[in-house]
Amino acid sequence: MLKHCIVLFIATLLLAGCVGKRKHLEMISSLQKQHEAETGALRGELDAASKSIHDLTLELVGQKGANEALLTTQDKLQQRIDDLQAEIDRLKNNVSNQQESFGAELQMKEKELAVCSQRIANISGLLADWSKGMESVAEEIRTALAEEPADLLAIEAKDGNVTVVMFEKLLFKPGSTSKVENGALKPLETIAEVVKSHPELSVRVVGHTDNQPVPRKSVESWDYSLLRAGTVVKLLTQDFDLGPNRVLAAGKSEFEPRTSNETAEGRAQNRRVEVIIQQSEDILVRDIRRVLAP
């Protein structure tokens, strides 16, 4: 700006000495206009520069704010990361403690399982011995009664028991509950001797009928079957010295048939007395308790 003023002043002096007053004024006016034009242009440039500075200042402030926001966000994220890491460490410690606790509990359960498995094995062995013992009893009776006709007597081993089935024709005279055929004495004596040689055995004698009316009108079928069982019990205890405390009598009447009652042969199979030889439950319970004892 100062440079332009000096130039204008020198030009004015030079022109003053060379031209007339009117020319002089015209030249001054022209120079003023040129000066104003240049001044306006400079002011425009200055305004543009000021606006640019203002915009840059605003942008700088915005960037600063964004940077501060980013820094704040970064701090929050870092805090969250730190919190998560602390939670992970806590969970790891909990898992480690739980694993140790679970491992100790698992070892204890495994020991308990081993004890239970051993007890089950012992009980299984006990039951196996029981079953073998009854098979031995069944074989002993079969051998002693091998010559008895199959239609008069049957020997069966099932459910841990030995059952000697004595049909009516072998045991009783027709229509009687107390008169025993001579052919029944040997089987009954054999049963008594075998049971006496095994103190752990007991006997249950069960009488059965068919579905026809019993020969004695004064006696119901329940009583009829029970009376026949009682007669067999008396023979075992009184004639063959089997302890009375080891024998039990029962009657089932027609309600547990061996086969169909539709034929005469079937009804003959159902009129029977079963001598069921079994091991004493008290002895079995005692042995199981012994196995289960700590």
Side-chain angles (χ1 to χ4, degrees), residues 183-281:
L185 298 180
K186 180 181 178 181
L188 292 176
E189 183 179 11
T190 298
I191 292 171
E193 292 302 320
V194 170
V195 173
K196 284 191 291 184
S197 65
H198 296 274
E200 74 279 8
L201 299 180
S202 62
V203 174
R204 184 159 49 98
V205 181
V206 183
H208 299 269
T209 66
D210 59 21
N211 64 347
Q212 302 299 309
V214 296
R216 292 168 57 182
K217 295 181 180 180
S218 61
V219 178
E220 294 183 357
S221 62
W222 280 106
D223 295 331
Y224 191 83
S225 62
L226 182 57
L227 286 171
R228 284 189 160 182
T231 296
V232 172
V233 167
K234 288 179 181 179
L235 287 171
L236 291 172
T237 56
Q238 295 178 5
D239 291 20
F240 303 120
D241 299 324
L242 183 60
N245 63 321
R246 301 174 67 184
V247 187
L248 175 69
K252 288 290 188 71
S253 184
E254 64 181 275
F255 299 106
E256 197 172 285
R258 183 176 175 86
T259 186
S260 172
N261 281 304
E262 295 299 320
T263 64
E265 292 78 8
R267 291 192 293 273
Q269 290 277 314
N270 292 332
R271 296 191 300 271
R272 69 202 189 275
V273 170
E274 294 182 347
V275 181
I276 303 170
I277 304 169
Q278 56 194 16
Q279 295 196 60
S280 171
E281 293 183 358

Side-chain angles (χ1 to χ4, degrees), residues 20-32:
K21 183 177 181 181
R22 186 174 61 83
K23 292 288 186 180
H24 176 69
L25 291 174
E26 291 176 355
M27 293 178 66
I28 291 174
S29 178
S30 176
L31 289 172
Q32 286 178 340

